């Protein structure tokens, strides 16, 4: 079974990307709308896949005007871990705050939020978030958390089957942020694409 990870040959050079950018961005926006889950008032999870990560890399390269292979490989190394392999879900967790006052209130309270996200499946089994190791060490300190985290969830075959039967909840069991939401069927269907081979 081949990996879903991106290769150097999957990334367009800047001129080619500029020609395709509007079309590609429109398709990514449509996909992201089915992969975004709001968990309470300040936490949002964006479940990543190959296309969303490819788009992120292309936009980073465009913003930084990177034209050499070494720069592209650096971005691939940083972002490829966010592409789920079968049995995994990968997400960018955003703590969505709009002003300094909210940041001063929430970021100290939410230390550890990246390890407090839990899927509960129809049979009651649970799958907990794992902080993406390559990014985690740069994102959380003991007194304040970052506004962005990268997390993944590891499902066994039985849990993937349970996921497919619907009635999937996602929750935060962080003591300062107890929230829960049932995933809409549209999101369940979309995320099963990641979970299945």
């Amino acid at each position: 079974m081949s990996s879903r990870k991106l290769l150097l040959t999957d990334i367009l050079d800047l001129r080619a990307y500029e020609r395709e950018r509007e079309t590609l961005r429109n398709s990514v926006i449509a996909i992201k709308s089915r992969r975004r889950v709001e968990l309470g008032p300040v936490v949002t999870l964006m479940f990543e896949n190959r296309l969303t990560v490819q788009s992120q890399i292309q936009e980073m390269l465009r913003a930084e005007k990177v034209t050499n292979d070494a720069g592209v490989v650096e971005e691939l190394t940083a972002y490829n871990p966010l592409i789920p392999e079968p049995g995994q879900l990968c997400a960018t967790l955003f703590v969505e705050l709009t002003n300094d006052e909210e940041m001063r209130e929430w970021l100290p309270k939410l230390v550890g939020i990246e390890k407090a996200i839990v899927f509960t499946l129809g049979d009651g089994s649970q799958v907990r978030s794992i902080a993406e190791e390559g990014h985690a060490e740069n994102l959380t300190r003991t007194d304040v958390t970052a506004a962005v985290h990268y997390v993944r969830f590891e499902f066994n075959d039985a849990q993937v089957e349970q996921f497919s039967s619907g009635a999937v909840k996602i929750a935060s069991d962080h003591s300062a942020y107890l929230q829960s939401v049932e995933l809409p069927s549209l999101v369940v269907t979309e995320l099963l694409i990641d979970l299945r081979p």
Side-chain angles (χ1 to χ4, degrees):
M1 182 170 25
S2 64
S3 171
R4 297 173 179 173
K5 305 305 186 198
L6 292 160
L7 304 172
L8 191 58
T9 51
D10 295 315
I11 304 300
L12 299 172
D13 70 42
L14 293 186
R15 287 176 56 233
Y17 179 59
E18 210 57 53
R19 288 192 292 272
E20 304 284 332
R21 183 172 182 246
E22 190 172 344
T23 305
L24 291 171
R25 287 185 71 204
N26 287 340
S27 67
V28 169
I29 288 166
I31 286 169
K32 281 186 169 186
S33 71
R34 300 189 300 268
R35 296 179 149 267
R36 182 181 178 89
V37 176
E38 291 180 13
L39 182 56
V42 300
V43 171
T44 300
L45 292 142
M46 174 56 66
F47 287 91
E48 307 289 358
N49 69 3
R50 195 172 195 272
L51 187 62
T52 66
V53 171
Q54 184 177 20
S55 171
Q56 175 72 16
I57 291 171
Q58 293 282 182
E59 286 295 315
M60 293 287 284
L61 297 173
R62 179 179 187 266
E64 295 168 9
K65 297 182 173 39
V66 175
T67 57
N68 60 53
D69 285 356
V72 176
V73 168
E74 203 174 296
E75 296 296 339
L76 287 169
T77 302
Y79 285 96
N80 258 334
L82 303 184
I83 300 173
E85 294 293 354
Q88 293 181 336
L89 293 176
C90 296
T92 305
L93 183 158
F94 298 97
V95 181
E96 301 202 86
L97 306 170
T98 55
N99 59 53
D100 286 346
E101 191 180 323
E102 286 182 346
M103 289 170 85
R104 280 193 298 274
E105 177 191 352
W106 281 103
L107 294 183
K109 282 202 296 198
L110 292 180
V111 169
I113 188 72
E114 71 278 9
K115 297 174 187 151
I117 308 301
V118 183
F119 279 104
T120 302
L121 307 175
D123 64 354
S125 65
Q126 294 191 321
V127 179
R128 181 171 292 278
S129 57
I130 301 163
E132 210 301 298
E133 296 87 352
H135 295 270
E137 62 208 35
N138 302 322
L139 294 179
T140 291
R141 303 192 301 273
T142 55
D143 59 337
V144 65
T145 194
V148 178
H149 293 277
Y150 302 101
V151 298
R152 78 176 181 279
F153 302 85
E154 304 272 356
F155 292 76
N156 63 35
D157 291 346
Q159 289 167 331
V160 171
E161 276 315 300
Q162 274 299 314
F163 197 100
S164 71
S165 65
V168 179
K169 285 193 174 129
I170 190 166
S172 162
D173 62 8
H174 191 289
S175 60
Y177 194 75
L178 298 172
Q179 299 289 337
S180 178
V181 66
E182 187 160 335
L183 291 192
S185 58
L186 183 75
V187 176
V188 170
T189 301
E190 181 71 23
L191 297 186
L192 277 170
I193 298 168
D194 300 348
L195 287 169
R196 289 179 166 153

